[in-house]
Amino acid sequence: MGSRIIVKNLPKKISDEKFRTHFASVGEITDAKLKFTKDGKFRQFGFVGFRTDEQARKAIDYFNNTYIDASKLIVELCQPLNEANKTRPWSKHSKSNKAPESKKEAKKSNKKEDIMQKLLGPLGKDDQFIEFLEANKAIKSKENIWKNDINLDIRQTSKSAEPDKVESEIQTEDKKMVDVDQEPDFENGRLFVRNLCYECKEEDLEKLFAVYGPLVEVNMPIDNFSKKPKGFAYITCMFPEKALQAFNDLDGTVYQGRMLHILPAKSKAEADEIDEKNFKQKKQAEMKKKAQSSHNWNTLFINQNSVANLMANKYQVDKSDIYDVHSAGGKKASAAVKLAVGETQIVNDIRKFLLRNHVKLDAFGSNRERSKTVMLVKNLPNDTNETELKEFIAKQKVDGGMKRFVMPEYGIACLIEFNERQEARDAFKKLAYRKFKSVPLYLEWAPVDIFEGDGQQMDSEENENKEEEIGENKKVNEILEKESDNEDEYEENATLFVKNLNFDTNEEDLRKLFSKIGKCKATIAKKISHNKETLSMGYGFVMFKKSSDAKEAIKSLQGCQLDGHCLEIKFSNRTGAVDAAKKKAVQMTKQKSSKILVRNIPFEAKAKEIEELFKVFGELKYVRLPKKIDGAHRGFGFVDFVTQSDAERAFDALSHSTHLFGRRLVLEWAEPEQTQDVEILRQKEEQLSGSRNKKLKKSQILDDLGREEDDLRMDVGTES
């Protein structure tokens, strides 16, 4: 099925506008053409392209065998150019209309050749006579008469000239011929697609080409004035063989009412290559290429110098007072702790501002797919305001398509959303590592769906509805937490791998079979076909609550039949690591006690500084940093609060982006301690049995033996 139709037997005096408007009543038209000969004579047929296949089918059913100005129309589906069984065109003006010669015509041509050979006789094999005939043909066909003289000159010069020069000339001519008849090269995996519909979007092309394999880039240039596509695009496939497959399948096919024309494109490196670059330009080009990657920095990172400037402006003090440069003697707080507390306060204020502007903060923490229209600009100076940054962006000629501009009051970073993908890409290239107020700009693509809605201020009714939704979401989260608690009850090494399943077997049937042994969950691996249907892959996983039930299932159900297939069961090896990672992620965010595990502590930090940082949020029981043999701490520690509410407040404030001596602190909830009675008993047991089981060093034993010998000598001396 296609979306392009051919309309035959049109009136001789129909106009393009009338032809388009006549078929526009059925659906959205992407292309409408009337065909003419080279002399300008109308051939009484035309093509109409629709956006979807359904609209084309509807047009055929509606307009076939109808009339326009007493002309009965014949409406049919247009055949793709790459179709093997395509019918021969009925018109004599068609380029592909090459009718085979009949038997009579073949006999006539053979008779003429025989007669000519008899008349010419020995002259038919003479080279000079053949050259004379070719010259006469050139005169009749109005070609260059001296065309053959060029070859003669080359032959004559080849006798006198050096053989190397002649070979070079021949090689250049061969190269020209090769360039004309060269086969398409798909080594770089990049395709040039043209004759696209002007309403086509990059998402549509991604769906069309993603069937053949993963895509690296889809670039569809748009017009700066109309903001519409230019009708062509560049597709870069990850694997070159997939690009070749897409070329063979899609070149000449109908897509959204137009015939696709696909050509191999040059690689991006060759297209953007600039000769004679200096080191600085090469370095900037490399940095801009790396900026397009999917990695990201800490989203809420703030430079320590910016933190000090913001604190000085906020509390109206000198910057030197924050660093305690001029203070001499006395008890003073650590400058690193001051900056860490200030950074925490600034980060929390920025988070509140982003929430008010409908930004999803949870999207930054997860490894989501990156957006192609929203970018995050970071490393801005602390005194930057919105107008200054917009003026700077306007100088780079990328301000035309900005849809949304979100910038906190501190001016540390901002979010910019563009209307079109091409505008966002151009802005990213021009602004990445661009110098702004003596500071380079750091850019990264924001996660997908980072904004809630269209970003406009909600009415009071919408706010009430949102509060109701939040209440419902809390209930759902409570249910999910209960389910996660139940999932924690599942033991390790209790997951089975089941293969040789029938493709018609569903998860419920598999669960019922294994639930005879014990409580379990069952999942079947599935994939999406080319027709976008979910198909079973013939294997699945069964997770039991107890590992003993899993062992029993292997013994009793091995080789049993389910829907006519004998099952093969064994322990799963991959799910253990996944379950462990999930449990670890839950443990990190789920509060268990008032004790916090702090990782990535700088080695120059002391326990007193950690205590000063955490006591801002509540009263502490103790701060403990485990030490090595040489007395230095191991880079992590434990902070225990008196109440769990203080511990929760400290965890929420410091876990986002708090740096101490330039290193970001990583917080996790520690495991709850044993009861105090057990700890006291253990300490007493160690005190009682420590002296008995303690191993003595060799030097201590020798010292004790030496002392005993001295005592014996003293005793012998006194007796004498």
Side-chain angles (χ1 to χ4, degrees):
M1 187 62 187
S3 57
R4 189 175 180 86
I5 61 174
I6 180 171
V7 185
K8 303 175 184 178
N9 198 26
L10 288 169
K12 293 183 178 180
K13 295 184 179 180
I14 190 171
S15 62
D16 291 337
E17 187 177 354
K18 185 178 180 181
F19 179 63
R20 178 182 284 270
T21 54
H22 183 76
F23 288 90
S25 59
V26 179
E28 183 181 357
I29 293 178
T30 58
D31 186 28
K33 286 184 178 180
L34 297 174
K35 302 303 290 184
F36 295 86
T37 61
K38 294 180 180 180
D39 302 333
K41 184 180 178 182
F42 181 47
R43 297 172 61 184
Q44 290 188 306
F45 76 94
F47 296 97
V48 181
F50 291 91
R51 188 70 182 273
T52 61
D53 297 348
E54 296 178 357
Q55 294 175 355
R57 174 56 61 187
K58 187 178 179 182
I60 293 172
D61 297 338
Y62 186 79
F63 290 107
N64 191 24
N65 295 326
T66 59
Y67 290 85
I68 297 180
D69 298 339
S71 297
K72 189 176 182 180
L73 302 180
I74 300 172
V75 185
E76 297 175 353
L77 194 65
C78 184
Q79 295 178 347
L81 293 175
N82 63 350
E83 189 173 351
N85 299 324
K86 185 175 63 173
T87 58
R88 189 173 64 84
W90 52 270
S91 176
K92 64 181 180 180
H93 299 286
S94 178
K95 294 180 181 179
S96 58
N97 185 10
K98 295 180 180 179
E101 293 182 353
S102 61
K103 293 182 179 180
K104 293 181 179 180
E105 292 177 354
K107 288 181 180 180
K108 287 181 181 180
S109 61
N110 292 330
K111 286 181 180 179
K112 286 182 180 179
E113 290 178 359
D114 294 338
I115 293 168
M116 287 295 294
Q117 287 180 0
K118 289 179 181 179
L119 290 173
L120 293 174
L123 292 174
K125 298 179 181 180
D126 190 3
D127 295 336
Q128 294 181 355
F129 185 73
I130 293 170
E131 185 180 345
F132 173 74
L133 291 177
E134 289 179 358
N136 286 331
K137 286 180 182 178
I139 294 170
K140 290 180 180 179
S141 59
K142 297 181 181 180
E143 293 181 357
N144 296 331
I145 302 172
W146 58 88
K147 187 175 181 180
N148 199 26
D149 296 339
I150 297 170
N151 297 327
L152 291 171
D153 294 337
I154 293 172
R155 290 171 187 171
Q156 290 175 2
T157 55
S158 63
K159 295 178 181 178
S160 59
E162 296 179 0
D164 296 335
K165 293 182 179 179
V166 176
E167 287 180 2
S168 63
E169 290 177 359
I170 294 169
Q171 286 177 0
T172 53
E173 289 183 358
D174 291 340
K175 284 182 181 179
K176 290 178 181 178
M177 295 298 293
V178 167
D179 292 336
V180 174
D181 301 328
Q182 190 176 11
E183 293 183 358
D185 185 15
F186 297 94
E187 289 184 359
N188 54 10
R190 202 160 185 251
L191 300 174
F192 175 67
V193 186
R194 63 184 181 185
N195 199 29
L196 292 171
C197 167
Y198 293 109
E199 284 78 19
C200 183
K201 297 181 180 179
E202 288 188 2
E203 293 86 348
D204 301 335
L205 286 178
E206 283 181 359
K207 292 179 182 178
L208 179 64
F209 284 88
V211 179
Y212 299 95
L215 303 178
V216 177
E217 184 185 16
V218 178
N219 186 5
M220 182 183 288
I222 60 172
D223 185 50
N224 294 328
F225 180 74
S226 62
K227 303 300 179 184
K228 287 187 177 182
K230 294 182 178 180
F232 63 90
Y234 293 93
I235 311 292
T236 306
C237 299
M238 185 176 290
F239 304 106
E241 59 271 16
K242 301 297 181 182
L244 179 60
Q245 184 181 356
F247 170 78
N248 293 330
D249 294 346
L250 297 178
D251 186 30
T253 58
V254 178
Y255 181 68
Q256 293 185 352
R258 285 174 172 259
M259 289 282 185
L260 292 183
H261 188 197
I262 304 176
L263 297 171
K266 291 183 179 180
S267 61
K268 206 169 184 181
E270 294 176 0
D272 299 336
E273 191 175 1
I274 302 173
D275 297 332
E276 297 182 0
K277 281 185 178 179
N278 56 22
F279 178 77
K280 187 176 180 181
Q281 291 175 342
K282 288 181 180 179
K283 194 69 176 176
Q284 289 179 352
E286 289 177 1
M287 292 172 70
K288 287 189 177 183
K289 285 181 182 178
K290 290 180 181 179
Q292 295 284 348
S293 61
S294 59
H295 78 278
N296 63 321
W297 299 281
N298 180 13
T299 307
L300 298 174
F301 172 75
I302 305 174
N303 190 9
Q304 296 295 320
N305 188 29
S306 300
V307 173
N309 291 329
L310 290 171
M311 290 175 65
N313 294 333
K314 186 174 183 179
Y315 297 105
Q316 297 181 356
V317 295
D318 293 332
K319 192 175 178 180
S320 59
D321 296 336
I322 297 172
Y323 288 108
D324 289 336
V325 176
H326 301 293
S327 61
K331 191 175 181 181
K332 60 181 182 179
S334 173
V337 175
K338 286 183 179 180
L339 292 174
V341 174
E343 182 186 7
T344 304
Q345 185 178 359
I346 293 167
V347 167
N348 289 329
D349 292 343
I350 292 174
R351 286 173 61 84
K352 291 177 182 177
F353 174 83
L354 294 176
L355 287 172
R356 288 196 301 270
N357 286 270
H358 315 293
V359 178
K360 298 178 183 178
L361 296 177
D362 297 335
F364 288 104
S366 58
N367 295 324
R368 288 191 182 181
E369 185 183 354
R370 294 288 165 173
S371 174
K372 296 179 181 178
T373 55
V374 184
M375 68 174 65
L376 178 64
V377 184
K378 297 183 290 189
N379 198 35
L380 294 172
N382 58 321
D383 56 346
T384 304
N385 54 31
E386 187 174 341
T387 55
E388 289 178 347
L389 186 59
K390 283 186 175 180
E391 289 176 359
F392 175 77
I393 296 174
K395 291 179 181 178
Q396 311 302 324
K397 299 179 181 179
V398 293
D399 61 333
M402 282 195 295
K403 180 181 178 182
R404 199 178 319 189
F405 196 94
V406 179
M407 185 174 182
E409 56 182 351
Y410 297 111
I412 302 298
C414 72
L415 284 166
I416 304 176
E417 184 180 7
F418 290 84
N419 292 316
E420 301 292 338
R421 290 186 176 186
Q422 182 62 35
E423 294 174 345
R425 281 194 294 267
D426 293 341
F428 198 100
K429 290 178 183 178
K430 293 179 181 179
L431 296 177
Y433 295 101
R434 181 73 64 180
K435 194 174 181 180
F436 175 69
K437 288 187 177 182
S438 71
V439 174
L441 298 180
Y442 297 157
L443 271 68
E444 70 169 277
W445 293 110
V448 176
D449 298 331
I450 190 173
F451 291 108
E452 295 179 357
D454 56 353
Q456 297 178 355
Q457 293 183 352
M458 298 182 180
D459 299 333
S460 59
E461 296 179 358
E462 293 180 354
N463 287 327
E464 290 177 0
N465 295 332
K466 191 174 181 180
E467 289 177 0
E468 292 177 359
E469 290 178 0
I470 291 170
E472 292 178 358
N473 291 333
K474 285 182 179 179
K475 293 179 181 178
V476 172
N477 291 332
E478 290 176 359
I479 295 169
L480 291 174
E481 286 178 0
K482 290 180 181 178
E483 290 181 356
S484 64
D485 294 339
N486 294 332
E487 286 182 0
D488 293 339
E489 297 175 2
Y490 285 84
E491 296 180 0
E492 295 182 358
N493 299 325
T495 304
L496 301 179
F497 174 69
V498 185
K499 64 179 182 177
N500 197 28
L501 291 172
N502 193 333
F503 293 117
D504 297 329
T505 302
N506 54 26
E507 294 179 353
E508 185 63 23
D509 296 338
L510 185 63
R511 188 192 64 79
K512 286 180 181 180
L513 177 64
F514 283 86
S515 60
K516 298 174 183 178
I517 307 298
K519 191 172 182 181
C520 63
K521 292 182 180 179
T523 56
I524 295 176
K526 297 178 181 179
K527 66 177 180 179
I528 299 174
S529 65
H530 296 293
N531 299 329
K532 297 182 180 180
E533 296 179 357
T534 54
L535 302 176
S536 173
M537 298 180 70
Y539 66 89
F541 299 91
V542 178
M543 184 169 64
F544 285 92
K545 269 200 167 185
K546 297 179 181 180
S547 59
S548 59
D549 294 340
K551 294 177 182 178
E552 182 65 26
I554 292 177
K555 292 178 182 179
S556 59
L557 297 178
Q558 186 71 257
C560 70
Q561 288 195 354
L562 179 64
D563 295 335
H565 282 231
C566 293
L567 303 183
E568 298 180 18
I569 309 169
K570 64 179 181 179
F571 279 104
S572 177
N573 297 324
R574 296 181 62 188
T575 53
V578 177
D579 295 339
K582 287 182 179 179
K583 287 182 180 179
K584 187 176 180 181
V586 171
Q587 289 173 1
M588 288 174 61
T589 57
K590 186 178 178 182
Q591 185 177 5
K592 297 180 179 180
S593 63
S594 60
K595 190 176 180 181
I596 300 174
L597 170 62
V598 186
R599 298 183 185 273
N600 201 32
I601 297 176
F603 293 104
E604 59 265 34
K606 300 177 181 178
K608 188 177 181 181
E609 292 174 333
I610 302 296
E611 182 181 355
E612 289 178 3
L613 177 61
F614 279 87
K615 74 179 183 181
V616 176
F617 303 97
E619 188 177 355
L620 302 176
K621 286 183 182 179
Y622 64 85
V623 175
R624 183 169 66 88
L625 299 179
K627 296 183 178 180
K628 303 177 186 177
I629 299 174
D630 57 355
H633 66 81
R634 296 179 177 272
F636 66 93
F638 298 92
V639 179
D640 197 357
F641 285 85
V642 175
T643 61
Q644 290 189 1
S645 59
D646 294 342
E648 185 179 2
R649 186 164 58 252
F651 189 91
D652 293 338
L654 299 173
S655 61
H656 300 298
S657 179
T658 300
H659 294 75
L660 185 66
F661 291 104
R663 298 185 71 173
R664 183 182 177 182
L665 300 179
V666 181
L667 274 62
E668 298 177 12
W669 291 109
E671 293 291 337
E673 294 181 352
Q674 301 291 333
T675 57
Q676 188 175 2
D677 297 337
V678 176
E679 289 182 357
I680 294 171
L681 289 172
R682 285 180 177 174
Q683 289 176 2
K684 289 181 179 180
E685 182 66 25
E686 288 177 359
Q687 290 176 0
L688 291 171
S689 61
S691 59
R692 300 171 188 171
N693 300 329
K694 190 175 181 181
K695 292 182 180 180
L696 297 175
K697 292 183 180 179
K698 186 177 180 181
S699 59
Q700 292 179 352
I701 295 170
L702 293 174
D703 291 341
D704 294 339
L705 291 172
R707 288 173 185 173
E708 289 177 359
E709 290 179 1
D710 293 339
D711 293 340
L712 288 172
R713 289 174 184 173
M714 290 291 292
D715 293 340
V716 172
T718 53
E719 287 178 0
S720 62

